[in-house]
Amino acid sequence: SFAEFLEESEELSESAQNDYAYEYSAGYIAEKVAQPANAAGDEVTVGDYTVTLVELDRDAEAEVLDRDPSAGAPDHNYVIARFSAVYNGEGDGRPWLDLPAELVGTDNKIYSVMGCSMSLGMRTVDQELLSKGDTVTQEACFDVPDSALGEDSRLSMRMILAEQNNDEVFWRLP
């Protein structure tokens, strides 16, 4: 019943209520891991952008809390992926909207930026729009257990609203 559901929901720990990792079947994750994956430094087309994974900081708690104290302590470990991107589209580019990243863990979970500071202290409305040829550093922060980071972990990105080149792309973790 709905009342039982509410009781169970209230019993969830605060950590579980704020967990933005979603568990999938091992087969589904295996399909993602089997996709061609790029190395850090490779230029990849993601929708209207050329994107390069520049760095993965696996111990980013101090930086996250310095830049966004409201983020609070991680449940596991803050990890920041840094991408450089060149906007190749027509009209305005909005990388904070156009380039959502996810982390595919070795624990059959996909981690969202919602588990960490999504803005790292910078409000979306304060970010400038991009014109064709403009470059930007785009960051994605995740709260991930160390055990989810391994050889088969991947970063993924897809520009969902792109008219072309909207397939999901993957990078191996450096």
Side-chain angles (χ1 to χ4, degrees), residues 46-49 98-100 157-162 165-167:
V46 180
D48 295 336
Y49 295 82
D98 295 339
L99 300 176
M157 189 178 283
R158 176 180 177 208
M159 185 177 166
I160 297 168
L161 300 177
N165 301 315
N166 67 345
D167 293 332

Side-chain angles (χ1 to χ4, degrees), residues 21-126:
Y22 302 95
E23 192 159 356
Y24 292 90
S25 70
Y28 179 78
I29 296 296
E31 286 177 24
K32 288 198 170 283
V33 171
Q35 296 297 314
N38 302 284
D42 290 349
E43 290 186 348
V44 181
T45 300
V46 180
D48 295 336
Y49 295 82
T50 302
V51 180
T52 305
L53 172 61
V54 177
E55 175 187 14
L56 183 72
D57 182 350
R58 296 174 186 242
D59 186 21
E61 180 177 354
E63 180 178 350
V64 170
L65 295 177
D66 182 53
R67 291 173 60 187
D68 187 4
S70 69
D75 292 326
H76 305 289
N77 185 38
Y78 285 144
V79 173
I80 296 178
R82 287 185 179 82
F83 300 90
S84 66
V86 177
Y87 181 61
N88 304 309
E90 302 298 326
D92 294 329
R94 296 168 180 84
W96 62 92
L97 177 65
D98 295 339
L99 300 176
E102 294 180 320
L103 193 147
V104 180
T106 58
D107 56 356
N108 293 337
K109 291 184 178 182
I110 296 180
Y111 293 85
S112 163
V113 296
M114 293 179 67
C116 182
S117 172
M118 293 174 36
S119 63
L120 293 173
M122 183 174 208
R123 298 179 323 157
T124 301
V125 295
D126 294 335

